[in-house]
Amino acid sequence: MDLNLTREEAAFRDEFRSWLATNVPRDWSAWREKPLEESFSYLRAWQRRLHEGGWAAVSWPTEYGGRSATLMQQAIFWEEMARVEAPPMANALGLGLIGPTIIAYGTEAQKKRFSPRILSADEIWCQGFSEPNAGSDLAALQTEARLDGGYYLVNGQKVWTSYGWVGDWCELVVRTDPTAPKHKGLTVLLVDMKSPGVEVRPLRQMTGESEFNELFFRDVRVPVENVLGKVNDGWTVAMSTLMYERGSYGARLHLLFKRNISRLIQLARTVPRNGRTAAEDPLIRQKLAQCLAEIEIMRLNQLRAFSRITATGVPGPEGSIQKIFWSELNQRVQQLAQEILGPYGQLLAADSHAIDKGVWSYGYLRTRGNTIEAGTSEVQRNITGHFVLGLPRSY
Ligand SMILES: Cc1cc2nc3c(=O)[nH]c(=O)nc-3n(C[C@H](O)[C@H](O)[C@H](O)COP(=O)(O)OP(=O)(O)OC[C@H]3O[C@@H](n4cnc5c(N)ncnc54)[C@H](O)[C@@H]3O)c2cc1C
């Protein structure tokens, strides 16, 4: 595996770097503290600017508005975004998971209808998979869709729907054949969130935000043209979305983590601890060094995963290994921040004594969800145990 950039990769990096130099907004840190609706409109405008520059979805095929970027170019893209502390994009699920699934499984009419509006952030997407009794065991889902002329009539409930509150469209997994084995009777529908019968309720998190929602569907009519992939083959389509989800997360994280740990090291040099600074405490030093080393391991694992996909054409279980590693590492870094900062680490943004405007208390609380979202650590370990270690299936 050659870790040096090729000439094309270096040219790609230079082109994007110079575009960012003149286009990236510098005031995101002030906006991120505003209410969700306000900060979201800022992110929408930022995504539009990226789209106008041709940078919103570099991994997408050129014919659908992307750049057909290689995996290495995608990694370069995210590294450059992280390097300049660019804001995230508003339509994260549309660009990263759902758009690629539509491109892979959609009809030509669906691709033409949905792709441009995903790129421009004119239509925001959410992912309606989990239900109160179907999370890790997604195939147990009960939301049903019954064919009624040219429509499916949808009834049921989804939960933990990120972006539900702002979603225009939803990739919804429903049961279309209740008599088939549980993985076989599922279908994916593309649902207009403005349809009569869709109700969105906020879920308040321990961070104080309401990023997620509960979705309720009561006799919602979805035209048959909005089936994605084949009827009763929704499991294949949904798994493809989850593959994109697990694969795309890790690639962009090591620079963000590195920035966090560098900031923590700076703070440790100033925070008093037992008559000296925290940075002079041997236990804290070891923990900081351990986190730094693990961030480097994470970067190398990501490159190993890219190298394998490039060689074989299919994502391997590295995605699961990487998911376990980054989510638990992120929690270890935040735990260490709390050890270093003591009670000050718990102050929220609104408190004038909060360190770094409360990002450490927010980070500690928000990262608890990392080991649950996109498949829990236990489930990822089951996958790794089976596919890497060759252990018998446990589920
Ligand atoms: C930040 C965040 C964002 C999310 N966004 C979305 C979204 O946009 N759309 C969406 O559809 N969902 C979303 N989810 C939901 C997420 O996919 C589920 O929470 C996740 O799949 C786990 O399901 P569950 O919560 O029902 O837990 P359960 O599946 O009930 O699991 C409970 C516990 O049992 C363990 N467990 C379950 N099965 C096994 C097994 N076979 N072996 C060992 N242990 C097991 C789990 O690891 C967990 O510890 C989000 C969740 C979070 C935290």
Side-chain angles (χ1 to χ4, degrees):
M1 174 177 179
D2 183 357
L3 297 182
N4 295 310
L5 296 189
T6 63
R7 203 195 316 218
E8 290 77 26
E9 287 162 357
F12 179 90
R13 179 201 58 199
D14 294 344
E15 186 188 350
F16 188 42
R17 196 174 276 184
S18 75
W19 185 87
L20 282 173
T22 46
N23 286 283
V24 75
R26 307 280 171 193
D27 52 354
W28 168 230
S29 58
W31 278 80
R32 73 191 326 158
E33 290 155 32
K34 296 186 191 247
L36 265 183
E37 285 78 5
E38 282 180 52
S39 59
F40 195 82
S41 56
Y42 178 97
L43 298 182
R44 205 192 276 264
W46 164 230
Q47 185 183 320
R48 280 202 183 117
R49 197 184 299 179
L50 276 158
H51 174 50
E52 281 154 22
W55 295 105
V58 294
S59 65
W60 287 24
T62 317
E63 59 180 311
Y64 298 112
R67 287 186 179 239
S68 303
T70 62
L71 280 171
M72 206 56 208
Q73 288 173 328
Q74 293 170 41
I76 292 167
F77 173 86
W78 289 113
E79 284 203 6
E80 292 304 313
M81 289 277 278
R83 201 182 302 281
V84 295
E85 300 187 40
M89 286 186 257
N91 211 358
L93 300 186
L95 292 168
L97 325 181
I98 300 167
T101 313
I102 293 176
I103 291 170
Y105 291 95
T107 60
E108 208 44 46
Q110 287 172 338
K111 294 182 212 180
K112 292 226 160 71
R113 159 69 185 80
F114 293 114
S115 306
R117 294 174 178 93
I118 292 176
L119 290 168
S120 63
D122 283 331
E123 289 176 348
I124 303 297
W125 281 76
C126 60
Q127 183 188 2
F129 283 33
S130 307
E131 297 184 2
N133 291 313
S136 303
D137 185 11
L138 181 62
L141 65 87
Q142 290 165 3
T143 295
E144 61 157 31
R146 207 165 27 82
L147 196 56
D148 181 22
Y151 291 85
Y152 280 97
L153 266 190
V154 178
N155 281 284
Q157 184 196 343
K158 297 288 173 179
V159 72
W160 309 126
T161 318
S162 311
Y163 300 94
W165 58 277
V166 75
D168 299 292
W169 286 84
C170 181
E171 180 188 354
L172 190 74
V173 194
V174 293
R175 187 163 301 284
T176 34
D177 183 355
T179 62
K182 65 179 184 178
H183 292 84
K184 306 251 164 159
L186 303 175
T187 300
V188 169
L189 298 177
L190 306 176
V191 178
D192 183 346
M193 294 287 283
K194 312 252 171 5
S195 311
V198 177
E199 186 192 345
V200 182
R201 291 187 200 160
L203 282 174
R204 194 170 154 87
Q205 301 149 235
M206 61 181 164
T207 55
E209 298 166 309
S210 295
E211 279 175 278
F212 317 116
N213 301 87
E214 290 180 294
L215 306 183
F216 294 87
F217 298 85
R218 289 189 196 88
D219 290 332
V220 176
R221 289 163 76 81
V222 180
V224 290
E225 299 82 64
N226 287 13
V227 170
L228 182 63
K230 295 197 190 112
V231 174
N232 293 332
D233 192 27
W235 185 249
T236 313
V237 180
M239 284 304 108
S240 162
T241 304
L242 291 180
M243 281 285 209
Y244 288 119
E245 184 171 28
R246 285 165 198 169
S248 68
Y249 258 90
R252 61 194 80 167
L253 290 177
H254 82 266
L255 277 172
L256 300 175
F257 285 17
K258 221 172 200 165
R259 188 171 314 125
N260 273 350
I261 199 81
S262 304
R263 175 70 189 133
L264 203 50
I265 292 169
Q266 260 181 19
L267 284 172
R269 292 198 173 109
T270 61
V271 173
R273 189 181 175 91
N274 300 332
R276 51 188 170 182
T277 67
E280 288 165 314
D281 180 317
L283 281 179
I284 297 287
R285 291 169 74 83
Q286 282 170 24
K287 287 183 184 177
L288 284 166
Q290 179 72 23
C291 285
L292 204 58
E294 289 178 5
I295 292 167
E296 185 58 12
I297 292 171
M298 181 177 124
R299 184 179 76 85
L300 294 172
N301 256 338
Q302 189 65 48
L303 289 172
R304 187 167 66 162
F306 282 168
S307 167
R308 181 186 156 112
I309 300 174
T310 309
T312 63
V314 277
E318 290 88 352
S320 289
I321 298 172
Q322 193 70 344
K323 167 72 206 327
I324 297 169
F325 200 83
W326 76 252
S327 56
E328 296 185 357
L329 172 58
N330 207 10
Q331 291 178 351
R332 283 194 290 279
V333 171
Q334 294 295 338
Q335 172 70 39
L336 179 55
Q338 291 301 320
E339 277 180 49
I340 292 173
L341 302 176
Y344 283 95
Q346 294 172 27
L347 295 178
L348 302 172
D351 196 297
S352 58
H353 297 291
I355 294 172
D356 294 339
K357 297 187 179 159
V359 292
W360 300 104
S361 60
Y362 176 85
Y364 182 79
L365 297 174
R366 180 61 183 80
T367 54
R368 307 319 294 169
N370 289 166
T371 45
I372 303 173
E373 63 194 314
T376 67
S377 281
E378 290 79 8
V379 166
Q380 305 295 352
R381 283 194 167 85
N382 281 341
I383 294 171
T384 311
H386 181 66
F387 290 101
V388 179
L389 302 178
L391 300 174
R393 265 184 195 276
S394 65
Y395 50 97

